[in-house]
Amino acid sequence: MRRRIVAGNWKMNGSKDLSEELVGYVRSEAGSLDNGVEVVIIPPAIYIGNVLDHARGVVSVGIQNVGQWQSGAYTGEVSPDMAKDAGCRYVLVGHSERRQIFGETDELVAEKVSLVVSSGLAAIVCVGETLEERESGQAESVVAGQVRAGLASVSQEKWHNIVVAYEPVWAIGTGKTATSDDAQAMHAAIRGVLKDMGAPAEEISLLYGGSVKADNAAALFSEPDIDGGLIGGASLVAKEFMRICRSFPAAT
């Protein structure tokens, strides 16, 4: 069975108090999950140590971004090796906010993915279309292009370190969510692209992100190609986040 993953992306939010209170609660609840979900928290880099202290190995921890270098004179950057050394397991790569605000290209995403997986970390590679692209009928081709370009450098032995997160840009932080049918259709298309690339497509976890909440998570997670979620705002509310984590049925 593919890994079930629910990852909370705090974006540029958080504090030491939140790390203690929210992560402490999530840790205490995650230990009793019977549905096989791996719970991941991805805080701002400055709070990774605090989150790790309270996660205590029950909750996995990730970093929101890394540079495309492993070391050197790059003030302000964090390398994949540093993230691993700090205790991270996951790295977000190519989030739409990085693409739109900071101008990250598919080529840069590919560079980062290559470094991340070579460091032994898992890359959560984000893809998704804008509203204009969806309304013009380009959604599937845009996302397929992002998958092919962003994962072009992944070698056969490193596919197990890849997770793909489909986040339609028009649904991030807007309150709008793709229907479960629409989300499933895109996830199935992504899995088809991965298969065409020679990846072990049926073994790669695909996550949905975009205004996921406790009241829509179960419908999304019941789809055959959706293996979890990348959660934004709802991950900052401990009880809401855990309700999402419980939205999968018990593991069989």
Side-chain angles (χ1 to χ4, degrees):
M1 187 174 70
R2 292 187 297 268
R3 283 181 293 166
R4 294 173 167 181
I5 300 168
V6 175
N9 175 18
W10 286 8
K11 305 190 179 184
M12 200 173 73
N13 299 288
S15 65
K16 289 193 291 184
D17 286 345
L18 183 71
S19 299
E20 180 177 0
E21 295 164 11
L22 189 150
V23 181
Y25 176 84
V26 170
R27 182 197 70 239
S28 68
E29 295 292 310
S32 63
L33 289 173
D34 64 356
N35 56 10
V37 168
E38 180 181 6
V39 181
V40 184
I41 291 178
I42 310 174
I46 198 168
Y47 295 122
I48 285 172
N50 301 90
V51 170
L52 282 162
D53 287 344
H54 299 294
R56 300 178 188 174
V58 177
V59 176
S60 298
V61 179
I63 188 170
Q64 296 176 12
N65 181 49
V66 291
Q68 63 266 44
W69 313 276
Q70 287 290 23
S71 63
Y74 305 108
T75 300
E77 292 295 305
V78 175
S79 74
D81 280 351
M82 291 175 180
K84 183 178 182 181
D85 188 47
C88 292
R89 180 174 180 184
Y90 289 93
V91 180
L92 279 186
V93 185
H95 191 280
S96 65
E97 292 159 3
R98 299 296 311 177
R99 294 176 188 260
Q100 292 189 318
I101 299 171
F102 301 99
E104 294 196 2
T105 63
D106 287 336
E107 292 72 25
L108 181 57
V109 169
E111 288 182 47
K112 291 186 177 185
V113 167
S114 181
L115 280 182
V116 168
V117 300
S118 69
S119 295
L121 296 172
I124 301 177
V125 184
C126 302
V127 298
E129 81 284 359
T130 65
L131 182 59
E132 181 181 2
E133 289 166 339
R134 172 161 283 271
E135 290 180 341
S136 63
Q138 300 177 72
E140 193 169 309
S141 63
V142 166
V143 171
Q146 291 172 346
V147 172
R148 290 184 186 280
L151 301 179
S153 62
V154 179
S155 59
Q156 195 63 36
E157 66 272 14
K158 295 295 184 181
W159 282 112
H160 68 281
N161 282 353
I162 295 296
V163 175
V164 178
Y166 168 59
E167 292 193 303
V169 177
W170 47 269
I172 299 174
T174 63
K176 298 179 180 179
T177 309
T179 67
S180 55
D181 287 344
D182 285 344
Q184 163 58 25
M186 187 63 82
H187 280 69
I190 291 170
R191 209 174 293 285
V193 172
L194 292 170
K195 184 177 180 180
D196 289 344
M197 294 176 69
E202 295 301 324
E203 300 172 17
I204 295 174
S205 296
L206 306 183
L207 313 183
Y208 175 78
S211 297
V212 178
K213 298 178 176 62
D215 60 2
N216 61 26
L220 289 163
F221 296 168
S222 68
E223 297 293 343
D225 286 295
I226 300 179
D227 306 307
L230 180 58
I231 317 301
S235 70
L236 296 167
V237 183
K239 291 184 178 180
E240 174 85 357
F241 185 55
M242 286 311 304
R243 284 180 64 200
I244 293 170
C245 293
R246 294 190 188 98
S247 295
F248 276 109
T252 56

